[in-house]
Amino acid sequence: MTASPTPTAVLVHGAFADAASWSGVIAELQSHGIPVVAPPNPLRGLAADAAHIASVASQIDGPVVLVGHSYGGALITVAGTAENVVGLVYVAAYVLDEGESLGELQGRFPDSPLTSNLKQATYPVEGAEPAVEVTINPDAFPAVFAADVPATVTKVLAVAQRPLAAAAFTETASAAAWKTKPSWALVASADQAINPEVERFGAKRAGAIVVEIEGASHAVAVSRPKEVADLIRDAVRATS
């Protein structure tokens, strides 16, 4: 009996960030011989972004473990139905159910400080009216997104934010891959962007194996890359 190939970890970033936010995690995984892909997330809407991630996953030869941070968690929930996806890892993330939106899931719990610190702008849409996108007010960014990251780093991250289309909050998930695939979840206990209760609720509902990191901010992949990589390695090992 031949051993199945090591799954590729596909790391999906969330809103207000880019794939570079996984740098420390990528280095950890590569040092353990785990193949990694960290694709760009378009951040233009749940259905379109999930289709993009599913396409990335399905073009990888062999099994895939999808890892989603924040809004990326909503995407892997839908994209995880791709045939070669063998596991899901949620990192300080939204774990949606089929037919549920980010707004609906968040609405069951008290708002996080993120809600009152979003800044709106518009972007052009071909053949249609301009659409709304949001970023975090740069002054509030360190406290809301990355309180346990050095100030010199958060100042850079605050001005390098990638905006999220506002429509992403109301689109509903067309599937919930955690119903048929094993899942793991990391809860950041000091998260000020997503209420940690939202993370705990979604993880429990999905039957995920849960790790909670005390004092971790929303940017846990930046501040605690080893612990994040350890959970991903657990998922890779379990699905190999």
Side-chain angles (χ1 to χ4, degrees):
M1 184 176 150
T2 55
S4 62
T6 301
T8 298
V10 174
L11 311 182
V12 183
H13 68 82
F16 323 124
D18 60 24
S21 59
W22 292 111
S23 297
V25 175
I26 292 168
E28 283 283 339
L29 294 174
Q30 288 177 334
S31 74
H32 288 94
I34 295 170
V36 188
V37 175
N41 174 356
L43 302 177
R44 296 292 79 162
L46 185 52
D49 295 343
H52 176 76
I53 297 305
S55 172
V56 170
S58 62
Q59 291 177 71
I60 291 170
D61 194 18
V64 163
V65 168
L66 281 182
V67 183
H69 173 247
S70 190
Y71 166 66
L75 303 186
I76 70 168
T77 295
V78 177
T81 56
E83 206 170 315
N84 61 329
V85 174
V86 294
L88 308 165
V89 182
Y90 294 93
V91 178
Y94 293 107
V95 187
L96 295 182
D97 198 354
E98 188 174 346
E100 185 176 58
S101 70
L102 293 179
E104 285 169 344
L105 176 56
Q106 281 192 150
R108 300 178 184 191
F109 300 90
D111 280 345
S112 72
L114 173 74
T115 316
S116 57
N117 285 292
L118 289 175
K119 196 171 85 172
Q120 290 194 355
T122 59
Y123 64 96
V125 179
E126 196 176 341
E129 289 293 305
V132 176
E133 62 184 14
V134 293
T135 52
I136 302 172
N137 185 319
D139 292 340
F141 184 92
V144 168
F145 198 88
D148 57 351
V149 175
T152 50
V153 177
T154 58
K155 280 180 183 170
V156 174
L157 297 177
V159 298
Q161 288 182 65
R162 297 224 12 242
L164 176 66
F169 291 102
T170 54
E171 275 188 66
T172 58
S174 60
W178 49 259
K179 291 182 176 176
T180 56
K181 316 248 169 127
S183 59
W184 288 257
L186 185 150
V187 173
S189 77
D191 200 328
Q192 299 293 300
I194 300 177
N195 183 335
E197 288 300 332
V198 173
E199 298 169 20
R200 292 183 190 110
F201 171 82
K204 185 178 179 186
R205 181 171 62 179
I209 294 166
V210 182
V211 169
E212 183 147 343
I213 300 188
E214 281 303 316
S217 76
H218 191 60
V220 62
V222 178
S223 63
R224 312 284 277 272
K226 187 182 182 304
E227 287 101 318
V228 173
D230 285 347
L231 184 63
I232 298 167
R233 282 173 60 210
D234 288 348
V236 167
R237 277 199 296 260
T239 53
S240 291

